[in-house]
Amino acid sequence: MLRLFTMTRIIPQLGLLFFAFVPVPTLCPVHATPNSLHMAAVADTRSSKRARDAGIRASSMESDILIYVNEDRKQHGLAALRLNDVESDIAAKHSRDMASGKVPFGHSGFDERAKAIGKALGSIRTVGENVASGPMNARQVVDGWLNSPGHKRNIEGDFTLTGIGYAPDKKGNIFFTQIFSK
């Protein structure tokens, strides 16, 4: 089953927090209606080679997600997101926590993640987050996000940095987190 959620938080200069949460149902791209989606994870070696050629230092899955997200941004005239180690570490921890059942699938603890990013990186205005789970590869998770208005809004949003993490559970489902900031 593919499950997707998106969240964005705007952090104005006055220190006030505004919150927008858009829950997104499980998607079935074949019928474009909510439904279960089971996909086999298939390696995409072309994108892994492009990541290596670009000098991206991340796992293949993370670098593939970044490549696909930045390809979409380029098609819309947007600047490429830069992978940030702090955000990637925070995203990976959230994915591990979801995979282990420590937190439910979704955005539990988002406020703490946003504050940790702000503390580590200094002045940030906006933090967004996409999560997904299911047995899929990078192309499939990004395609799922791009077919969801809330996720697409984050991917094509006014962000400059990103962090990407993923973790499998014992059943073979993979939990993905992508954090965005500016």
Side-chain angles (χ1 to χ4, degrees), residues 3 25 29-30 37 45 47 60 62 72 79 95 98 112 147 166 168 172:
R3 297 182 294 175
V30 175
L37 179 62
T45 56
S47 62
S60 177
E62 293 159 340
D72 178 76
S95 292
M98 289 188 295
E112 291 77 18
N147 285 306
Y166 70 98

Side-chain angles (χ1 to χ4, degrees), residues 44-175:
D44 185 339
T45 56
R46 293 180 315 244
S47 62
S48 298
K49 182 181 181 323
R50 284 183 286 172
R52 285 191 305 275
D53 293 346
I56 297 170
R57 291 179 20 204
S59 78
S60 177
M61 181 78 80
E62 293 159 340
S63 61
D64 289 354
I65 290 171
L66 181 63
I67 287 168
Y68 296 135
V69 164
N70 280 336
E71 284 175 353
D72 178 76
R73 289 178 62 86
K74 183 178 180 180
Q75 290 175 358
H76 292 89
L78 301 169
L81 297 172
R82 294 185 321 271
L83 193 63
N84 179 273
D85 289 340
V86 170
E87 290 183 19
S88 289
D89 289 346
I90 291 170
K93 182 181 182 319
H94 183 54
S95 292
R96 286 191 307 271
D97 288 348
M98 289 188 295
S100 70
K102 183 176 181 180
V103 299
F105 174 75
H107 298 286
S108 295
F110 178 76
D111 290 338
E112 291 77 18
R113 288 188 295 284
K115 288 176 187 174
I117 291 166
K119 184 176 180 180
L121 301 181
S123 178
I124 59 169
R125 291 188 342 215
T126 306
V127 174
E129 178 178 84
N130 287 350
V131 299
S133 72
M136 58 193 141
N137 64 26
R139 176 82 267 168
Q140 293 164 324
V141 74
V142 173
D143 284 349
W145 284 337
L146 289 173
N147 285 306
S148 161
H151 296 93
K152 186 174 178 74
R153 191 170 31 255
N154 276 345
I155 288 172
E156 297 172 2
D158 186 19
F159 297 108
T160 56
L161 301 175
T162 192
I164 301 165
Y166 70 98
D169 68 7
K170 294 177 182 178
K171 297 177 184 176
N173 290 310
I174 303 173
F175 289 79

